[in-house]
Amino acid sequence: MTITYLEAIREAQEKALRDDERVYIYGQDIGTLGGAFKATKNLAKEFPGRVLDAPISEDAMVGSAIGAAIEGMRPIIEMQFADFSMVAINQIVNQAATLYWRTQVACPITIRLPSGGNPGSGPFHSQCLESLYSHFPGLVVMTPATVEDAYTMLLEAVEIDDPVIFCEHKYLYNRLKCEVLPETGLPCDTARIARFGRDVTIVAYSAMVHEALAAADQLHKEDIEVEVVDLRCVKPFDLKTVLSSVARTARLLCVGESWPWGGVNSEVIASVVTHGFHLLDAPPQRINSKDTPVPFHPSLWGVHKPSSQVIAAAVRRLCDW
Amino acid sequence: MLDTLKQPKRGVVSPVSREQYVDAFNWMLLARTVEEKLASLWRAGKISGGVYLGKGQEAISAALGIMLKSGDIFGPLIRDQAGRLAFGESLIDVFRVHFGSRTSLSRGRDGNVHRGNPRGGYHAMISHLGSLISVVAGALVARRFQGDTTAIGATTIGDGGTSTGAFHEAINMAAVEKLPLVVVVVNNQYAYSTPNSRQFACSDLVERATGYGVEGHSLDGTDLQECLEVLGQATQRARSGHGPQMVVGDCLRLTGHGEHDDASYMDKTLSQTRLGRDCLKIAENYLQERHWADHVLLEDWRKNAKEQVENAVADAQHEPLADPAMETWCPYATKRIASAVLVR
């Protein structure tokens, strides 16, 4: 039996609901329909009264989760698309993210953001917002790249006492599969070496890990050995693992699907330059999506986001530097 | 038919007792005394940032505060000193937060009206108006999950705050969930400098209750008697399973938006109308008319309030202030995450 990335998210929520009576799920169309992507399929039936359809009110959804968390609950909020979380940004960054700092009362809420594009999704159903949310103090921003991580990290998100922005990638929903879900995983603040290599370090997360791995396969045929670091969590991120890898390869390329300005890539590169300048033999590079809204047509969209071909070309340039 | 459904009959209101009136009056008096002191400390340069007062709104706020019971949830806004005290805020905490004392729950990280004790059901507002309503609603959702069938939640908002999307989303959601939530809209005629005429186009904000499918109530915010009656009824309706209640109280802000604001933009004729009456003075007169208090007793209460306030200020002034060297500079509650961040 195989389990997809999407099913792993459903399984994690089922386990959380089963194991912890403080957990409930609130979001649009998540009850009878089971969610726009079926991430809560049958959960409303299995857990009556704990998987609740919300009105189209993202602000109130998150606000109410904060109030419930203060009273000891562990709410999971499903945003129908990551893009719509922007309607709730005030509650997320000003209310939830500041609560512990202001009052010493924790805010254990999990906000699931179905992120990234699929062909034909267009500007408002395709966004990757991890860089934006990482900007704000007090949020934990998770970006799982594997079925196993989607499962264990979502369970960890529910356990964590801080607000978690859980960026699950829609492109991976049905494309990734595993045989058995693990019982435990690495803690979220620990990066994973997805592939070992001696020549160049690629730091990536979420769907871009798979583009980086595809590029690494191609480059291997050209005798370039790429090391791929999967950040798993972008705020906070595991600088130690990144620096250790750069210490081995002396070359760094960061790949992320969010927009370039003030993003995860920039932060990783700034941190490596600050703490590991002496390790570098070449200027660190980055690849983001293009600095435009996400285009609708598949031919444009395929070029808008980083691809394995663009990544491979950047690695070749880095090696030639 | 709709009117009968949405406007509960006044006939069921229980009469306000002397005890209740006196209780509310004393919270009003204490709040006024606190705020006069805050204004004077601000003018003397003893308070950083702003000072925002609730002069003219004490009757609504105190009446709401005393209708809440231990275990209820309260999300006050900026002009709710009276309600905060009535709900149980200790006097010293008012000054601790204004001074930025290290011993306050906010430890100098946030100031003035941004204070509370959320685990005690007393929420700490952020500046983004309307955003606390859904938080209080969510606390009630939690209580429902936990099997608490007695608690209610109450929160206040101004006339300006009713224009926010957050206000609309939260009341609609609370109505869908049939939560025991009381939303008190205090229409003090101005949102900072913006008059009602530039804020909304309906003739009375209470009309919105019908649109949300919640019960609506109106009251004269200058009249403590009426505040107690109507808020008593609204909280009772919420407590007995009738879902969200929207109470609209009219009054006039008898002060600037904050102490930095001379309110020169306000229509001076408003202060000559019924709205411009000082609710504290009206309440004093009422107490004397009913022979519930005489001059001597009123003077005793004033003296007592002043003493309490002076003692709280003196105590708070002796406490250590926020200190960068003592600050954790970490916004995370989860130990593992905090150490991952601090290792940099």
Side-chain angles (χ1 to χ4, degrees):
Chain A
M1 194 185 107
T2 58
I3 297 150
T4 65
Y5 183 97
L6 178 63
E7 285 163 349
I9 288 164
R10 188 205 165 279
E11 295 296 311
Q13 292 181 107
E14 185 182 36
K15 181 172 165 57
L17 284 163
R18 196 171 51 238
D19 292 355
D20 189 343
E21 63 179 14
R22 301 171 302 172
V23 174
Y24 72 96
I25 312 179
Y26 194 42
Q28 293 150 23
D29 305 302
I30 65 169
T32 310
L33 181 69
F37 298 99
K38 304 285 185 238
T40 56
K41 189 178 171 184
N42 293 332
L43 291 182
K45 206 185 294 173
E46 283 177 49
F47 301 94
R50 294 173 67 195
V51 182
L52 301 167
D53 279 330
I56 305 176
S57 298
E58 286 82 3
D59 183 285
M61 280 157 53
V62 176
S64 69
I66 296 164
I70 288 170
E71 290 291 323
M73 301 298 284
R74 298 260 156 176
I76 299 174
I77 296 295
E78 176 178 306
M79 289 290 167
Q80 200 154 73
F81 286 81
D83 314 56
F84 302 153
S85 69
M86 301 305 288
V87 181
I89 194 157
N90 176 52
Q91 295 287 7
I92 298 171
V93 309
N94 288 321
Q95 193 108 254
T98 64
L99 184 72
Y100 179 68
W101 171 261
R102 292 183 287 123
T103 68
Q104 301 178 58
V105 173
C107 188
I109 64 174
T110 299
I111 303 175
R112 291 180 35 236
L113 303 190
S115 304
N118 268 311
S121 296
F124 309 114
H125 293 78
S126 306
Q127 293 170 3
C128 287
L129 298 174
E130 62 279 359
S131 288
L132 180 104
Y133 286 111
S134 297
H135 181 70
F136 292 93
L139 298 176
V140 174
V141 184
M142 297 186 182
T143 49
T146 66
V147 181
E148 292 84 348
D149 275 354
Y151 180 73
T152 61
M153 289 176 79
L154 184 49
L155 288 169
E156 187 181 5
V158 173
E159 275 174 24
I160 279 179
D161 287 333
D162 292 293
V164 176
I165 305 297
F166 190 82
C167 303
E168 50 192 58
H169 204 294
K170 300 199 296 289
Y171 191 76
L172 306 180
Y173 269 172
N174 295 307
R175 288 181 173 85
L176 288 188
K177 295 178 176 66
C178 80
E179 290 302 317
V180 186
L181 289 172
E183 291 202 357
T184 56
L186 286 174
C188 72
D189 57 302
T190 305
R192 170 181 75 102
I193 309 280
R195 179 187 177 114
F196 288 92
R198 60 170 189 267
D199 298 322
V200 173
T201 296
I202 298 181
V203 171
Y205 55 88
S206 191
M208 289 300 110
V209 170
H210 304 283
E211 294 296 327
L213 289 170
D217 279 346
Q218 173 59 38
L219 292 161
H220 171 69
K221 294 172 193 155
E222 302 166 27
D223 208 23
I224 298 173
E225 298 301 336
V226 172
E227 180 147 306
V228 178
V229 177
D230 171 10
L231 283 183
R232 302 176 70 247
C233 180
V234 297
K235 177 85 176 275
F237 79 90
D238 179 3
L239 178 60
K240 199 172 152 196
T241 297
V242 173
L243 282 173
S244 308
S245 177
V246 173
R248 290 190 288 275
T249 63
R251 285 175 167 77
L252 173 65
L253 170 65
C254 292
V255 184
E257 200 176 334
S258 64
W259 290 298
W261 274 79
V264 174
N265 283 349
S266 351
E267 186 60 30
V268 172
I269 289 176
S271 299
V272 169
V273 168
T274 303
H275 298 280
F277 189 71
H278 59 290
L279 304 172
L280 291 161
D281 283 349
Q285 302 294 312
R286 62 172 170 164
I287 306 174
N288 287 84
S289 286
K290 291 186 190 300
D291 201 8
T292 69
V294 185
F296 148 73
H297 195 274
S299 71
L300 298 177
W301 173 74
V303 176
H304 180 265
K305 69 188 179 80
S307 64
S308 59
Q309 295 88 334
V310 172
I311 294 168
V315 169
R316 289 184 199 106
R317 284 195 301 276
L318 252 183
C319 290
D320 291 343
W321 195 85
Chain B
M1 181 62 191
L2 200 59
D3 281 348
T4 327
L5 275 176
K6 297 304 174 193
Q7 301 293 332
K9 288 205 170 56
R10 283 289 166 79
V12 300
V13 176
S14 52
V16 174
S17 66
R18 176 187 185 272
E19 187 193 0
Q20 199 174 45
Y21 196 98
V22 167
D23 186 23
F25 174 79
N26 274 288
W27 291 122
M28 290 169 66
L29 178 64
L30 187 59
R32 182 72 63 88
T33 313
V34 165
E35 294 197 333
E36 282 169 357
K37 187 68 190 179
L38 285 171
S40 125
L41 288 164
W42 184 82
R43 284 193 296 271
K46 306 275 188 198
I47 293 172
S48 304
V51 160
Y52 301 88
L53 308 183
K55 189 176 180 184
Q57 301 182 195
E58 292 97 334
I60 304 177
S61 189
L64 178 60
I66 69 163
M67 294 304 165
L68 299 176
K69 300 176 178 172
S70 171
D72 284 343
I73 294 151
F74 185 35
L77 223 64
I78 65 173
R79 306 193 199 282
D80 274 317
Q81 184 59 64
R84 289 170 187 262
L85 292 167
F87 191 64
E89 177 178 54
S90 77
L91 214 42
I92 191 168
D93 280 342
V94 179
F95 296 102
R96 279 175 172 151
V97 174
H98 276 87
F99 290 141
S101 164
R102 213 157 65 219
T103 51
S104 73
L105 276 178
S106 58
R107 302 179 183 182
R109 292 166 171 182
D110 206 347
N112 52 65
V113 290
H114 302 279
R115 54 184 202 273
N117 174 21
R119 285 296 286 155
Y122 168 36
H123 287 257
M125 59 170 284
I126 66 168
S127 305
H128 301 65
L129 296 175
S131 61
L132 196 57
I133 305 174
S134 59
V135 175
V136 174
L140 293 170
V141 169
R143 294 294 182 87
R144 189 168 65 190
F145 275 120
Q146 293 157 355
D148 178 349
T149 53
T150 59
I152 65 168
T155 186
T156 60
I157 188 91
D159 39 296
T162 64
S163 306
T164 62
F167 173 87
H168 165 74
E169 288 195 10
I171 294 193
N172 178 61
M173 185 195 73
V176 168
E177 294 293 334
K178 299 183 178 56
L179 296 171
L181 174 70
V182 180
V183 177
V184 180
V185 179
V186 184
N187 182 356
N188 67 10
Q189 314 303 315
Y190 284 88
Y192 201 153
S193 73
T194 304
N196 280 182
S197 60
R198 298 299 303 164
Q199 197 66 244
F200 52 85
C202 55
S203 57
D204 189 328
L205 288 169
V206 79
E207 290 169 4
R208 294 190 183 178
T210 309
Y212 289 118
V214 304
E215 294 182 353
H217 312 252
S218 301
L219 60 78
D220 173 354
T222 65
D223 180 351
L224 176 59
Q225 166 80 17
E226 191 169 316
C227 292
L228 288 165
E229 279 179 12
V230 176
L231 286 164
Q233 186 183 37
T235 48
Q236 187 48 40
R237 297 284 294 172
R239 219 179 279 284
S240 55
H242 293 90
Q245 309 287 312
M246 183 190 292
V247 182
V248 178
D250 289 317
C251 62
L252 183 65
R253 199 182 71 206
L254 301 180
T255 175
H257 171 59
E259 281 305 277
H260 57 278
D261 172 27
D262 66 4
S264 54
Y265 46 79
M266 282 176 88
D267 176 355
K268 303 293 179 289
T269 61
L270 276 177
S271 60
Q272 305 308 312
T273 67
R274 188 178 170 86
L275 284 172
R277 305 187 307 170
D278 179 350
C279 59
L280 192 66
K281 286 274 173 290
I282 302 285
E284 278 184 16
N285 294 342
Y286 187 86
L287 282 165
Q288 293 181 81
E289 278 165 24
R290 296 291 301 262
H291 302 291
W292 283 353
D294 59 12
H295 277 298
V296 180
L297 188 53
L298 282 168
E299 196 45 45
D300 260 8
W301 287 343
R302 286 189 203 106
K303 204 173 139 216
N304 177 268
K306 209 166 162 41
E307 261 177 36
Q308 286 187 61
V309 168
E310 291 301 332
N311 288 342
V313 172
D315 290 346
Q317 277 179 326
H318 281 107
E319 293 183 345
L321 295 176
D323 177 355
M326 306 279 287
E327 177 53 65
T328 64
W329 298 111
C330 178
Y332 292 104
T334 312
K335 284 199 178 70
R336 193 180 165 92
I337 302 291
S339 43
V341 173
L342 291 171
V343 80
R344 299 283 159 84

